[in-house]
Amino acid sequence: MPLQLFRATVCRVRDLTHDVREIELRLKEPPAIAFKAGQFVSFEVGRDALNRTIVRPYSIASPPSQRERPLLLLNLVPGGPGSTYLFSLRVGDETQFKGPTGAFYLRDDPARDILFVATATGIAPLRSMLYALSERGFPRPVTLYWGLRSQRDLYYKDELEALASAHPNFSFITTLSRPEDGWTGERGRVTPLVEARIASVQNLAVYLCGNEGMIKDVTAVLQKKGLCPIYREKYY
Ligand SMILES: Cc1cc2nc3c(=O)[nH]c(=O)nc-3n(C[C@H](O)[C@H](O)[C@H](O)COP(=O)(O)OP(=O)(O)OC[C@H]3O[C@@H](n4cnc5c(N)ncnc54)[C@H](O)[C@@H]3O)c2cc1C
Ligand SMILES: NC(=O)c1ccc[n+]([C@@H]2O[C@H](COP(=O)([O-])OP(=O)(O)OC[C@H]3O[C@@H](n4cnc5c(N)ncnc54)[C@H](OP(=O)(O)O)[C@@H]3O)[C@@H](O)[C@H]2O)c1
């Protein structure tokens, strides 16, 4: 099916850290989007030196039930055309994108527990999946391991804690690879967490999103433990 063009207005902008921002869009035409939790949309963000269109994909961070107001989550990459364009948007501005698309979406597999692993803004599609699962009452155990650098990069603490306290089947660990003094939480990358805490992959479906190195390393760790479906979205 060809991708659909959506026109939208920015209805909310929220800074979550020094370089991470949420942008909520209100769809104008068509007025709603049907997508699977985890899929992405693409923006034309400028033209390169050869006058070719520059396109950048962004996951929808809100759940499919939020059909009229998709949420984006992104970090600023200095000099990067995609993030610079999206960071330039203000409330009331109009924008357009194409989509939805992507094979990284939440599967309906009632026999498997779920492991989510993200680095940095790789949390975006997993957030969509988490809220989709929350709407279904987390029928199976779901674990999230999320890797960030340091305290100044932390966000979504309150909403992940709220999800975990509302749903005993959901638990999460945020780990910092370069914590400053005073951090009492988990330290290091997500890979050793997966290595140490996942005893068996036999009844697991795994979703990995973030940087290429993490996806490669975590996949290798999981594959040493056995066979299970591993769905992956490489951001960079
Ligand atoms: C399917 C898909 C979905 C994506 N969804 C999101 C999303 O929801 N949120 C999001 O922030 N990004 C997302 N990305 C990455 C996004 O498309 C852009 O690559 C990113 O915003 C950088 O684009 P840019 O034009 O600003 O910088 P560029 O000039 O294209 O990038 C410069 C360099 O920045 C690094 N980089 C790329 N992406 C990131 C990033 N996210 N964080 C840190 N460094 C990066 C890379 O090393 C890259 O070579 C997604 C990528 C893919 C493939
Ligand atoms: N966030 C910042 O404060 C900051 C500062 C300066 C520049 N930048 C630049 O901004 C971009 C994005 O930075 P980011 O921090 O948002 O994302 P990032 O560089 O992808 O780091 C996010 C997390 O992923 C971890 N990671 C990296 N490689 C991994 C691997 N192979 N396996 C498992 N985990 C891995 C990082 O650990 P490690 O810390 O061990 O790499 C970090 O905890 C990068 O290009 C970076 O150079 C960011």
Side-chain angles (χ1 to χ4, degrees):
M1 205 172 98
L3 297 184
Q4 203 171 356
L5 176 71
F6 290 84
R7 295 179 204 287
T9 306
V10 175
C11 64
R12 191 171 60 87
V13 172
R14 183 164 77 117
D15 284 327
L16 301 180
T17 73
H18 60 106
D19 68 351
V20 176
R21 174 172 287 189
E22 280 183 344
I23 299 174
E24 191 172 52
L25 303 173
R26 184 181 301 281
L27 297 180
K28 291 174 69 179
E29 189 52 45
I33 181 167
F35 65 99
K36 295 177 186 169
Q39 287 192 305
F40 66 86
V41 295
S42 294
F43 290 77
E44 290 186 3
V45 297
R47 293 197 163 267
D48 66 13
L50 298 173
N51 204 31
R52 289 172 305 199
T53 308
I54 304 172
V55 177
R56 292 285 183 270
Y58 293 90
S59 305
I60 303 176
S62 46
S65 57
Q66 204 173 304
R67 288 168 51 92
E68 292 155 16
R69 286 182 296 118
L71 181 78
L72 305 176
L73 171 78
L74 71 153
N75 61 302
L76 185 61
V77 177
S83 60
T84 300
Y85 164 70
L86 286 171
F87 265 73
S88 76
L89 293 175
R90 301 284 172 263
V91 170
D93 285 353
E94 301 204 349
T95 186
Q96 60 182 45
F97 59 83
K98 286 182 181 165
T101 191
F104 185 73
Y105 57 81
L106 185 63
R107 266 63 175 184
D108 199 8
D109 187 345
R112 291 182 181 276
D113 298 349
I114 292 176
L115 173 65
F116 289 139
V117 183
T119 49
T121 48
I123 195 70
L126 305 185
R127 182 183 185 277
S128 176
M129 296 182 194
L130 281 173
Y131 280 99
L133 287 162
S134 162
E135 288 164 7
R136 294 176 217 160
F138 281 99
R140 299 276 304 189
V142 177
T143 304
L144 165 68
Y145 297 149
W146 186 18
L148 296 165
R149 286 191 181 195
S150 69
Q151 283 92 329
R152 72 182 193 138
D153 300 311
L154 288 166
Y155 54 100
Y156 286 160
K157 178 174 182 285
D158 292 350
E159 62 172 72
L160 290 174
E161 282 174 355
L163 277 177
S165 60
H167 300 282
N169 256 352
F170 172 58
S171 61
F172 72 98
I173 296 176
T174 305
T175 183
L176 296 184
S177 53
R178 309 178 195 199
E180 313 276 343
D181 288 350
W183 175 249
T184 55
E186 198 73 31
R187 288 164 180 264
R189 290 180 167 184
V190 286
T191 320
L193 266 182
V194 174
E195 177 103 62
R197 300 205 184 201
I198 301 299
S200 164
V201 298
Q202 204 183 350
N203 296 315
L204 216 53
V206 183
Y207 296 79
L208 309 178
C209 186
N211 68 62
E212 185 171 20
M214 178 279 282
I215 289 177
K216 191 166 146 282
D217 294 352
V218 172
T219 298
V221 165
L222 290 166
Q223 286 176 340
K224 273 196 285 173
K225 292 177 186 280
L227 277 179
C228 69
I230 304 176
Y231 307 106
R232 307 185 283 183
E233 190 79 283
K234 177 172 79 71
Y235 273 9
Y236 55 97

